[in-house]
Amino acid sequence: MTDIDVAGLGACPIPISDYPNVLLAHGGGGSLSQMLVDTMFAPTFDNEWLGQLHDGAVIDIDARRLAVSTDSFVIHPLFFPGGDIGSLAVHGTVNDIAMCGATPTAITVGLVIEEGLPMEDLWRIVSSIKTAADQAGVSVITGDTKVVDRGKGDGIFINTTGIGIVDDGVDISPARMEIGDVVLVSGTIADHGIAIMSVREGLEFETALESDSASLHGLVRTILAVGGSGVHVLRDPTRGGVASATNEIAQSGGLGIRLREADLPLSDPVRAACEILGFDPLYVANEGKCLAIVDAAVADDVLSAMQDHPLGKDAAAIGTVVDDHHGRVFLTSRIGGNRVVDMISGEQLPRIC
Amino acid sequence: MKYVDEYRDEAEARRYLDAIASMVTRPWTIMEICGGQTHTFIKFGIDELLPPEIELVHGPGCPVCVTPLEMIERAIAIARHPDVIFTSFGDMMRVPGSDADLLTVKAQGGDVRMVYSPLDAVALAQANPDRQVVFFAVGFETTAPANALAVREAKLRGLDNFSILTSHVLVPPAMEAILGAPDNRVQGFLAAGHVCAVMGYWEYGPIADKYETPVVVTGFEPLDLLQGTYMVVRALEEGRFGVENQYTRAVTLEGNAPAQQLLAEVFTTVDRPWRGIGTIPLSGYDLRSEYEDFDAVRRFDVEAIAPPENEICIAGEIMRGLKKPHDCPAFGTTCSPEHPLGAPMVSSEGACAAYYQYGRAV
């Protein structure tokens, strides 16, 4: 049997090494499907709910308010610096639950695999899901697997749905935004999107650029502990970047937001890559950052607490909520000028000349 | 970081803005040629920081915007061929033809791919000998040397499955066309820095003299544009005309000699239709006869249909500096990036896109 060393799991043999590639039958519901569950998924995720191997999981939760979130992951390439589609699928859903002010408890994992995906790749991804879930403190309690014909998928698509318990007294939503609130971001922006671009065909940067993909609920716990009811909005700026997230918040909350270009935290390599490619970092995806819109009275304390947290060391105040241009986001440029930060339509395209 | 942070320094920017404001005694209309410069003006809010006497109008420096509709239709027709891999920079893919754009062709099953360099297209041709690889060679003089290099490289490698669809345009003839028009309003020019990095700026002296208009070769960072504007306004206030170079860190009078030699080897200068403006003599490039095998127009027998332009779109007047994007009745209403009526709303270098994206809707 081939051994593959996956970080955190030691040298584990790939289960089902008799099948170097995923076959249609692995998704067919018959004996090969069962073998996939019995030899790969169940032992890896190993918990009392999954162990029941029932159609669904019944889980005891003492909660008046349950946060639920679902997300699908179709990223290409499957493996990138700083993560892979598996870890991304866990972090993404855990973060959506965290942004509700909830503690994530459990996730489901739905796989749509393209026939022919190397079993070694599937194992790497499944192991990565396990590692990310452990780090996030969530269990994979139920799942589903389908296999589609070769050519009908992009290697693998993953859907995760998460549940979490919202603590009493926590009320996070754009409706709570107030004029004068401070907009905080937990660290450098555009890291994930640029890391993905750097491994796509045709672009080979010498500098190693890594995705910032990470589970943020620990950081969110810190923010809520220090800021209390002064924490009004939480959002993770994923696709569409900080620009899209702040626009959505401004629209939902019915107030305006003004960002300050000079205060946006950017790592030097990412800034350089954005300049070369002609990308505006405000529109580039993040996978391990959160925005927090907080009452001015608690802003300094919350910011300090974020900066003390390992995932927030580059946290910064980047803007304010204003009683102006309601529903829209504006930016003060580095040289003191003014412009709108609009929702982007379509993808950002690289500069030509 | 060198050459970026220093050119975005707020205090320096303020100095130039104050200097311009204290120098100006009457209204002046200034045109910047290049779409990248337009975007910097708007993105950093410089247009609103300049004194009200300075009116900025925007030139046709957006190669995507001036590519004739007939060429877009040709591209779409070629891309629909089942054995073609059609390659292009990203922008061109969203320009609407009569009923589709290249992205639509991709969604319908055409093999349309975005590349970052024409040499990527040559590599694709080499790797796929059973397919025809076509590169949409759109641009000003800035991107022409790379396209010439790609064609020469394809010839050296003996590739018979690579061709380019050429839509190259040249800046100096466009400037002449604008300045020579009876309704011209432009009094001073900011010339395109990267075009001049390739071609030098020796071509602009005769134009500046003939039309008694100051021309300043200008870069793309906020301080470049402020310094360039300062130099043009100073010339206008002092009643001088002629050519000055603001972008000295990248541009010399003679330009890039090896690049120019390469262009002369591969391309010949021809008359070209500019979308929204009309045919400008000797304003474009075609492949020389030694390289005509690499011309996609010759290789693919597609109909040269010119669909009618949208009647409402005033792109031509905008690109000649006669109108601004928000003068257009459709701006922001029936015309937006999601459903553009013309190219300047689509391209990342288009004036309408800049005004829309950065909120200059009046």
Side-chain angles (χ1 to χ4, degrees), chain A residues 197 275 333 338-339 345, chain B residues 8 43-44 116 338 360:
Chain A
M197 291 241 60
E275 288 295 333
S333 76
N338 180 49
R339 69 166 229 248
S345 77
Chain B
R8 298 182 188 181
K43 187 173 165 182
F44 285 88
Y116 296 95
E338 287 85 13
R360 293 289 184 270

Side-chain angles (χ1 to χ4, degrees), chain B residues 34 207 281 316 328:
Chain B
C34 175
I207 299 175
C328 175

Side-chain angles (χ1 to χ4, degrees), chain A residues 56-341:
Chain A
V58 178
I59 168 172
D60 245 315
I61 292 188
D62 179 23
R64 285 187 310 120
R65 291 185 297 157
L66 198 64
V68 187
S69 177
T70 190
D71 217 335
S72 298
F73 299 85
V74 300
I75 195 164
H76 186 86
L78 300 177
F79 303 98
F80 48 85
D84 57 46
I85 191 173
S87 58
L88 198 66
V90 173
H91 296 318
T93 289
V94 163
N95 290 344
D96 285 342
I97 297 292
M99 297 304 139
C100 299
T103 303
T105 321
I107 62 172
T108 72
V109 175
L111 305 175
V112 178
I113 309 172
E114 184 187 5
E115 179 191 18
L117 180 77
M119 196 60 79
E120 186 176 319
D121 283 357
L122 179 62
W123 174 234
R124 264 178 85 182
I125 291 166
V126 166
S127 307
S128 181
I129 293 174
K130 166 67 174 169
T131 306
D134 283 349
Q135 283 168 357
V138 299
S139 302
V140 175
I141 59 172
T142 190
D144 179 66
T145 304
K146 296 289 186 300
V147 182
V148 294
D149 286 308
R150 188 185 294 269
K152 298 284 175 68
D154 201 10
I156 187 169
F157 299 139
I158 302 181
N159 170 275
T160 49
T161 298
I163 57 174
I165 300 165
V166 186
D167 284 344
D168 283 339
V170 171
D171 180 14
I172 304 289
S173 93
R176 291 208 55 224
M177 227 172 33
E178 285 168 14
I179 298 160
D181 278 357
V182 176
V183 180
L184 303 171
V185 70
S186 64
T188 55
I189 65 174
D191 296 347
H192 176 78
I194 293 298
I196 298 299
M197 291 241 60
S198 75
V199 294
R200 283 216 178 124
E201 205 179 346
L203 291 175
E204 283 145 22
F205 293 126
E206 284 177 10
T207 313
L209 295 161
E210 283 208 350
S211 166
D212 60 346
S213 178
S215 283
L216 295 168
H217 57 297
L219 180 62
V220 168
R221 275 246 86 77
T222 302
I223 292 171
L224 289 172
V226 172
S229 60
V231 180
H232 297 155
V233 187
L234 293 168
R235 186 69 56 101
D236 62 336
T238 52
R239 277 175 315 150
V242 168
S244 305
T246 47
N247 264 282
E248 284 167 3
I249 295 168
Q251 279 168 25
S252 304
L255 289 173
I257 292 179
R258 174 162 289 278
L259 299 173
R260 296 181 300 273
E261 188 184 14
D263 293 337
L264 296 172
L266 270 169
S267 78
D268 281 343
V270 169
R271 187 201 301 244
C274 285
E275 288 295 333
I276 294 170
L277 294 170
F279 283 154
D280 186 341
L282 279 173
Y283 293 91
V284 180
N286 309 275
E287 287 291 340
K289 298 291 176 333
C290 84
L291 295 168
I293 301 187
V294 305
D295 194 298
V298 304
D300 287 342
D301 289 340
V302 171
L303 183 58
S304 291
M306 286 166 80
Q307 288 165 342
D308 286 340
H309 190 282
L311 289 176
K313 56 182 175 53
D314 293 315
I318 62 170
T320 34
V321 177
V322 295
D323 190 11
D324 202 2
H325 45 79
H326 290 183
R328 310 206 63 182
V329 180
F330 275 64
L331 175 111
T332 304
S333 76
R334 297 181 79 96
I335 62 164
N338 180 49
R339 69 166 229 248
V340 164
V341 177

Side-chain angles (χ1 to χ4, degrees), chain A residues 42-56:
Chain A
T44 304
F45 298 123
D46 188 32
N47 56 66
E48 61 181 281
W49 304 284
L50 196 60
Q52 292 167 25
L53 292 179
H54 196 49
D55 276 348

